[in-house]
Amino acid sequence: LVYSTDLGRTMKSMDGGATWTSVYSRKEGAAYTSTGLDVTTDYGVHFDPFDAKRWFITYTDVGLFRSDDAGRTWVSSTAGVPRRLVNTTYWVEFDPEVRGRMWGAMSRTHDLPRDKMWRRAAPSSFEGCLFRSDDGGVNWRMAGDAITDGAPTHLLLDPSSPKDKRTLYAAVFGRGVYKSTDDGNTWTPKNKGIEGTEPFAWRLARTPSGVLYLVVSRRSNTIPGALYRSTDAAETWTRVTLPEGLIFPNGILIDAKDEKRFYIAAWPRATGIKGEGGGIWLTTDEGRTWKQIFSRDQHVYDVTGDPRNPNVLYASGFESSAWRSADRGATWARIPGYNFKWGHRVIADPFDAKQVFITTFGG
């Protein structure tokens, strides 16, 4: 009996190495299912608004995966994406009114926003592209004259735009913000007011009234990240003053009941044993004043909400814990049973109020 592992697989031989079978997954028809021994990095779980059984996971290293049976089995969902860009899918965005139409942010550069990525290679060398699918993610094509340099990490659709002429925004790490007003056929940079020549645009958010927010990731302890606001559909941006000590914003969540109230998830600055300035911060006046409402985990990757109940918040980080608040962040309770070191994002199951998904940074 012999076991062998490599960068992604665990294999088993019962005949001294003459033949091998996998023990980390098993094939079921044309798809695969996990046995629970996973080492992949995933950013999100995304649910097709027209098909309750069609789910997607956005991955590093193995790209986008799709399930057509509510997560029981999975297949690669990158047909049409050039091989060099299959590595990472950071996000997918669905059209809320057109069945099968969706867009994806694919990149050759993985593991952002971890700073090891630009320590190894200049941001000018990052490569990625925006893609579109009209058959529910089965096949993809380049989204018009989509960006081919920089690493697109997030997509945002304006739901008030006409369904035959959607307005889309893309955060492109190392390039800033891009906008399309024609379903993603043409893209224009929209960086007026954003400081720096290679802005680490990471995440976007939009209020119901149309105000946009952009999270810019930190470059170093001396070149902090930033938060920007646009009230004119990304034509101009104004910097929002972050609280003193917060240099590494990661995620943003707009309160569903009050758009002046929003939350920022952050990693800490390097000081002391665990760092300082990380966790979750709250503003109730559009960023004029701030309050730290969670600090037990200093490396919070994102703060998310439950679409059924705006009082319920979730958070996960790099310190082996995941958290839930039932009172808009006033108090937090640890989610028992979850002890994985590198947490990314907690995602409420849209079909089961008692269940959540937690994505992780491999390991």
Side-chain angles (χ1 to χ4, degrees), residues 198-216:
E198 292 178 333
F200 286 179
W202 170 243
R203 296 275 293 165
L204 291 156
R206 182 183 181 276
T207 71
S209 67
V211 177
L212 297 173
Y213 288 92
L214 168 69
V215 174
V216 175

Side-chain angles (χ1 to χ4, degrees), residues 35-220:
T35 62
L37 184 62
D38 300 310
V39 297
T40 45
T41 295
D42 48 336
Y43 299 96
V45 184
H46 311 262
F47 305 93
D48 190 321
F50 295 92
D51 186 346
K53 292 185 177 181
R54 177 160 288 192
W55 302 359
F56 294 85
I57 296 181
T58 42
Y59 278 113
T60 267
D61 291 336
V62 294
L64 183 66
F65 267 69
R66 184 184 79 252
S67 174
D68 293 317
D69 52 17
R72 191 178 68 84
T73 63
W74 297 86
V75 295
S76 175
S77 196
T78 56
V81 180
R83 182 174 178 83
R84 71 183 187 280
L85 300 180
V86 165
N87 182 280
T88 298
T89 301
Y90 282 102
W91 196 262
V92 292
E93 187 81 344
F94 301 95
D95 192 304
E97 296 183 83
V98 182
R99 184 183 184 95
R101 183 187 295 170
M102 57 189 296
W103 294 265
M106 280 80 163
S107 179
R108 191 178 185 180
T109 304
H110 62 199
D111 292 357
L112 294 170
R114 303 193 79 184
D115 55 6
K116 66 171 185 173
M117 298 312 300
W118 58 89
R119 289 177 179 175
R120 295 176 180 177
S124 58
S125 68
F126 291 175
E127 186 179 1
C129 196
L130 303 173
F131 288 84
R132 172 175 167 169
S133 174
D134 291 294
D135 57 7
V138 177
N139 295 282
W140 296 88
R141 59 180 174 83
M142 186 180 293
D145 63 347
I147 309 96
T148 56
D149 53 3
T153 54
H154 195 217
L155 282 162
L156 184 68
L157 182 145
D158 179 352
S160 68
S161 58
K163 65 180 181 180
D164 58 346
K165 203 175 182 182
R166 288 298 191 193
T167 293
L168 295 153
Y169 302 93
V172 182
F173 208 91
R175 291 293 182 270
V177 177
Y178 283 75
K179 178 181 179 180
S180 172
T181 56
D182 57 5
D183 275 352
N185 291 315
T186 57
W187 295 85
T188 305
K190 297 291 181 179
N191 292 325
K192 186 176 181 180
I194 300 175
E195 301 172 15
T197 57
E198 292 178 333
F200 286 179
W202 170 243
R203 296 275 293 165
L204 291 156
R206 182 183 181 276
T207 71
S209 67
V211 177
L212 297 173
Y213 288 92
L214 168 69
V215 174
V216 175
S217 190
R218 179 206 72 157
R219 186 181 289 262
S220 69

Side-chain angles (χ1 to χ4, degrees), residues 328-349:
R328 301 172 87 193
T331 60
W332 295 83
R334 186 168 177 176
I335 299 175
Y338 174 83
N339 307 294
F340 192 83
K341 179 180 179 182
W342 283 330
H344 265 172
R345 182 176 285 120
V346 184
I347 299 154
D349 187 331

